[in-house]
Amino acid sequence: MRPKFYQRYWNHVNGWLLVLPAVFMISLFTHFPIGSSLFHSLFSTGTATRPAEFIGLGNYIYLLEDEIFWKVLFNNLVYSFCTVPLSIGMALGMALLINLNIKGRSLIRMSFFTPTVLPMIAVANIWLFFYTPEYGLFDQVFAFFGGDSHNWLGNPDTTLYCLILMVIWKESGFFMIFYLAAMQQLSPELKEAGVVEGAGSWYYFRRVTFPLLMPTTLFITINAVVNSFKLVDHLVIMTKGGPDNASSLLLYYIYENAFSFWDANYAATLTAVLVFILAVITIIQFTIVEKRIHYQ
Amino acid sequence: MTAIILKDVDKSWGSFQALNGINFQCEEGKLLVLLGPSGCGKSTTLRLIAGLETPTSGTIEIGGKDVSYLPPVKRNISMVFQNYALFPHLSVAENILFGLKARKVALPERKKRLENAADLLGLSDFLDRKPAQLSGGQRQRVALGRSIVAQVSVCLMDEPLSNLDAKLRQEMRQEIRSLQQRLKMTMVYVTHDQVEAMTIADKIILMKDGLIEQHGTPEALYNRPETAFTGNFIGNPPMNILTPDTLLMEAFSAILPDRIRPESHQIGVRPENIRISENRGIKAQIETIEYLGADTLILCRFGQQNITLTVKGKTRLLVGDHLRLDWKQDHIHLFDTSNGKRLGNLEKDELS
């Protein structure tokens, strides 16, 4: 008995020792900040003269009345609902195109993938030029066809959609790579069987390719949704959320509260809401959607 | 009537010549086997008939129509693939009906054909299952089902049994054969397994390096191999291909003509035609003995050459024993060394 117990005991100790560095790092930089944010969201932000005090759900009540919060949340939903399906659709289309045996395939693949390699800051600077009134790329093209000059980013009606267009351009190449990898896993024999059975391209895509790519689609969707909430680098370069918060997103609003208005505890409250939203979306995707997916 | 005709079909990829002047015909309702070692072009031939590849030159006719450059769907064929090519996310029923839906066959007709095929193949209880929940043999049946419901005249099979274990392979082989005969299908069947070919074929085409070695009935390929390669490929264990050296010529002086030379001739003798003799034939020594149950393989050595024979049941001989091996004149196949071609069966009139 004794050696058995001894062995098992050391197995556990060794196991824990091996994961300890990872546990430590994740706790320090993920779990602790989440807990800390939740904790701080229950306090008012202290100043030099007025120390922080416990106000319960006061911050959350304030948040419900905060018009900018609702505006930013609405912006973010529009932003997600546009960027996620469109970038995924484009990624799928590009992957299908590249997967064909056509000449110059590697050139097309490279050009589709290039936006992914660029840092978001660089992309934002490039597109800032595209959108510049008078001598930006878009205005020059419009001017060529006799159009007027537009202040694309300065107009509250267009600014958010300008960002959406840019993000789709940047993200779809990245998602395309996942689709391409998944497509190359599909057996060419299946395609041949489809051809012999008389399935046209569209019928085959609808009944075979797309269903078999569903695991990839789910994976990409989750990534795209999470990205649409957490990637705001371009706002810093292009619009700073303006004009009148017309292009501001939730995370950027959190950043503003924490580092421009120095209201750290209200930022913590917003963070708690953001984490909650992302958790709900992810759970929905993994539970409801996953049931309808065939894994090989 | 002739169902499939290939005329002077060539296929090459760049400088690689996969098929070289292939000519053959397949009668309606017959089972034709394309047999050969890997890389011989048998699968390429099948894919050309299917329309998955196009010939570099030559023509292919199916049912009296030139289909050389038509897509598979217009060729009135069905195909069973080596790995079955079942759609993993679709149920058995959906898999079987995939092609009918694609071709917009009406629902009642689809139902009727599905029931019919499921009945025929014993799949009725599995129609809702996914391919992953089926055994290898059942998956094979689903692939066959897809072929049956198509109700086309020609069915192509690309090594359909190679993923099954030996026992199941034998069962499915018989099933495919009886199905083919019952439904009077014209079937082209690719395999590298000569036993499979011999047992199910009406006609066999043996291929090597993109050329047809021999086209004939299983009996013809076994009894009258046109080349040394055919003799060696058909039959298990393979035919002994011997060089007529002085030892052999002396031992068989009575039945081997003098004109035979070791440089220019080869002698083929099947292991099952060799007898152990008291006082005649060639002296040899046993190297190994393999007991197979019903018979025993004995590998012997004489001079510089090896020779294999089979005897019924178990032998009392031991490794190292000396013995004499004899065979009848009409069991000798004579081949030309330079091109491997048959020179006759050494019947009496050829000797003079």
Side-chain angles (χ1 to χ4, degrees):
Chain A
M1 273 314 275
R2 205 172 159 273
K4 236 183 177 175
F5 169 77
Y6 178 81
Q7 254 179 2
R8 267 218 315 256
Y9 174 75
W10 274 108
N11 240 345
H12 283 294
V13 171
N14 281 334
W16 278 104
L17 282 175
L18 283 169
V19 292
L20 193 62
V23 168
F24 175 73
M25 296 299 275
I26 290 182
S27 305
L28 185 66
F29 292 111
T30 304
H31 299 144
F32 173 71
I34 290 176
S36 165
S37 293
L38 283 174
F39 178 74
H40 284 288
S41 71
L42 303 175
F43 289 81
S44 68
T45 303
T47 59
T49 50
R50 208 159 43 105
E53 58 178 272
F54 181 78
I55 52 166
L57 294 177
N59 280 329
Y60 291 90
I61 292 163
Y62 174 74
L63 175 133
L64 291 177
E65 291 161 1
D66 180 2
E67 275 176 33
I68 299 176
F69 165 74
W70 289 110
K71 182 168 193 177
V72 164
L73 184 63
F74 178 74
N75 281 349
N76 217 141
L77 291 179
V78 171
Y79 181 79
S80 299
F81 273 110
C82 290
T83 55
V84 175
L86 286 175
S87 58
I88 290 176
M90 269 192 66
L92 185 56
M94 293 192 296
L96 284 169
L97 183 67
I98 287 180
N99 207 31
L100 296 175
N101 223 342
I102 49 170
K103 278 218 167 96
R105 189 163 71 150
S106 51
L107 186 75
I108 301 174
R109 183 165 48 200
M110 196 179 72
S111 54
F112 283 168
F113 193 61
T114 310
T116 306
V117 187
L118 296 173
M120 196 58 167
I121 301 291
V123 171
N125 273 301
I126 295 168
W127 281 71
L128 191 58
F129 164 71
F130 287 175
Y131 287 134
T132 307
E134 310 276 348
Y135 56 88
L137 179 74
F138 286 110
D139 265 8
Q140 286 194 25
V141 171
F142 276 104
F144 184 80
F145 292 106
D148 294 330
S149 148
H150 297 264
N151 189 356
W152 297 102
L153 292 174
N155 182 344
D157 294 332
T158 54
T159 180
L160 187 61
Y161 297 99
C162 288
L163 297 182
I164 287 169
L165 182 65
M166 181 196 80
V167 168
I168 292 169
W169 178 82
K170 165 137 176 75
E171 296 263 273
S172 17
F174 183 53
F175 299 146
M176 174 198 74
I177 293 294
F178 292 103
Y179 271 128
L180 202 56
M183 279 177 197
Q184 291 181 346
Q185 294 294 310
L186 299 181
S187 153
E189 217 178 45
L190 285 186
K191 177 78 199 173
E192 286 176 351
V195 169
V196 171
E197 292 290 317
S201 309
W202 169 244
Y203 183 80
Y204 184 80
F205 173 77
R206 190 167 60 80
R207 296 230 35 215
V208 182
T209 311
F210 189 68
L212 288 179
L213 289 175
M214 272 313 277
T216 312
T217 306
L218 175 68
F219 172 78
I220 293 175
T221 309
I222 289 173
N223 269 288
V225 169
V226 170
N227 269 358
S228 72
F229 278 94
K230 76 172 196 196
L231 203 64
V232 293
D233 310 16
H234 49 295
L235 291 184
V236 180
I237 303 293
M238 296 174 82
T239 63
K240 304 232 187 284
D244 187 22
N245 292 308
S247 65
S248 189
L249 300 173
L250 198 49
L251 187 61
Y252 188 73
Y253 187 50
I254 294 173
Y255 166 81
E256 274 189 327
N257 270 292
F259 300 106
S260 300
F261 315 147
W262 299 107
D263 192 348
N265 287 0
Y266 185 55
T269 312
L270 290 164
T271 306
V273 172
L274 175 62
V275 169
F276 176 74
I277 293 172
L278 288 181
V280 168
I281 293 172
T282 314
I283 289 169
I284 290 174
Q285 282 173 331
F286 266 124
T287 52
I288 296 173
V289 184
E290 191 163 58
K291 283 198 188 108
R292 304 174 48 88
I293 290 183
H294 172 84
Y295 286 95
Q296 273 182 317
Chain B
M1 199 191 137
T2 316
I4 305 168
I5 304 174
L6 269 73
K7 278 186 203 149
D8 300 320
V9 171
D10 286 336
K11 177 69 188 176
S12 52
W13 282 278
S15 62
F16 174 68
Q17 185 93 13
L19 293 177
N20 211 332
I22 299 295
N23 279 295
F24 68 79
Q25 306 192 345
C26 177
E27 301 299 313
E28 205 173 277
K30 298 286 181 196
L31 200 160
L32 173 74
V33 170
L34 299 175
L35 176 69
S38 54
C40 71
K42 56 190 190 298
S43 283
T44 306
T45 309
L46 192 78
R47 293 170 63 81
L48 283 170
I49 300 173
L52 294 169
E53 309 281 353
T54 49
T56 310
S57 67
T59 58
I60 299 168
E61 284 178 27
I62 297 177
K65 198 171 95 183
D66 184 351
V67 298
S68 312
Y69 299 98
L70 288 183
V73 59
K74 295 205 173 147
R75 293 186 178 207
N76 212 16
I77 50 138
S78 64
M79 187 161 174
V80 173
F81 291 83
Q82 187 171 2
N83 300 311
Y84 319 135
L86 302 182
F87 303 112
H89 60 297
L90 298 179
S91 68
V92 168
E94 293 280 321
N95 260 295
I96 293 178
L97 293 177
F98 184 86
L100 297 190
K101 274 195 183 170
R103 274 168 273 164
K104 303 208 166 64
V105 174
L107 181 67
E109 175 68 14
R110 288 206 302 253
K111 254 187 159 165
K112 206 180 87 195
R113 289 199 205 175
L114 174 66
E115 268 172 33
N116 205 345
D119 243 21
L120 213 56
L121 296 162
L123 283 172
S124 305
D125 296 336
F126 305 105
L127 290 178
D128 294 328
R129 297 223 193 147
K130 297 276 171 70
Q133 297 164 303
L134 300 177
S135 69
Q138 288 165 338
R139 283 182 214 178
Q140 179 63 65
R141 285 200 178 88
V142 179
L144 280 170
R146 205 154 59 181
S147 219
I148 291 170
V149 295
Q151 294 188 350
V152 291
S153 54
V154 174
C155 175
L156 308 173
M157 303 220 154
D158 189 4
E159 308 220 16
L161 304 182
S162 58
N163 287 344
L164 302 177
D165 60 58
K167 192 167 174 297
L168 200 53
R169 200 178 307 167
Q170 200 178 344
E171 276 174 39
M172 288 304 298
R173 190 165 84 200
Q174 289 161 353
E175 208 167 306
I176 290 176
R177 177 59 163 165
S178 75
L179 212 58
Q180 179 263 333
Q181 288 180 326
R182 227 175 335 152
L183 302 176
K184 300 193 171 48
M185 296 160 117
T186 307
M187 198 176 266
V188 182
Y189 186 112
V190 164
T191 182
H192 59 261
D193 180 349
Q194 58 97 12
V195 179
E196 211 170 292
M198 294 294 277
T199 47
I200 68 169
D202 288 310
K203 288 277 184 67
I204 296 177
I205 292 179
L206 180 65
M207 298 180 69
K208 185 195 168 201
D209 300 333
L211 293 164
I212 293 179
E213 285 279 314
Q214 190 166 348
H215 179 180
T217 60
E219 300 79 42
L221 265 73
Y222 179 81
N223 290 328
R224 277 189 68 90
E226 293 299 331
T227 61
F229 174 80
T230 308
N232 195 269
F233 199 89
I234 302 283
N236 186 26
M239 179 186 269
N240 293 293
I241 305 289
L242 304 168
T243 307
D245 56 11
T246 41
L247 278 173
L248 207 60
M249 290 305 285
E250 276 167 21
F252 291 96
S253 56
I255 55 172
L256 285 174
D258 295 339
R259 63 180 163 88
I260 293 178
R261 296 278 169 273
E263 317 80 66
S264 56
H265 294 93
Q266 284 179 321
I267 288 170
V269 188
R270 294 211 175 270
E272 51 273 35
N273 292 336
I274 301 175
R275 294 166 305 180
I276 299 170
S277 168
E278 292 294 314
N279 45 14
R280 289 165 42 150
I282 187 151
K283 288 180 187 146
Q285 190 179 14
I286 300 179
E287 296 250 298
T288 59
I289 296 177
E290 286 176 28
Y291 174 61
L292 300 175
D295 21 46
T296 304
L297 288 190
I298 304 175
L299 176 72
C300 301
R301 192 161 180 83
F302 66 91
Q304 300 297 310
Q305 302 193 69
N306 291 329
I307 185 166
T308 307
L309 68 147
T310 47
V311 293
K312 287 267 163 269
K314 191 157 171 61
T315 178
R316 251 174 281 161
L317 295 165
L318 297 170
V319 172
D321 282 1
H322 291 268
L323 70 177
R324 297 187 77 152
L325 304 174
D326 189 28
W327 51 81
K328 285 191 202 149
Q329 187 176 34
D330 51 4
H331 286 144
I332 296 174
H333 306 262
L334 193 61
F335 299 106
D336 184 338
T337 308
S338 61
N339 55 14
K341 288 259 160 64
R342 178 186 195 81
L343 290 171
N345 229 20
L346 285 195
E347 282 111 24
K348 294 228 161 49
D349 49 292
E350 283 179 34
L351 276 169
S352 50

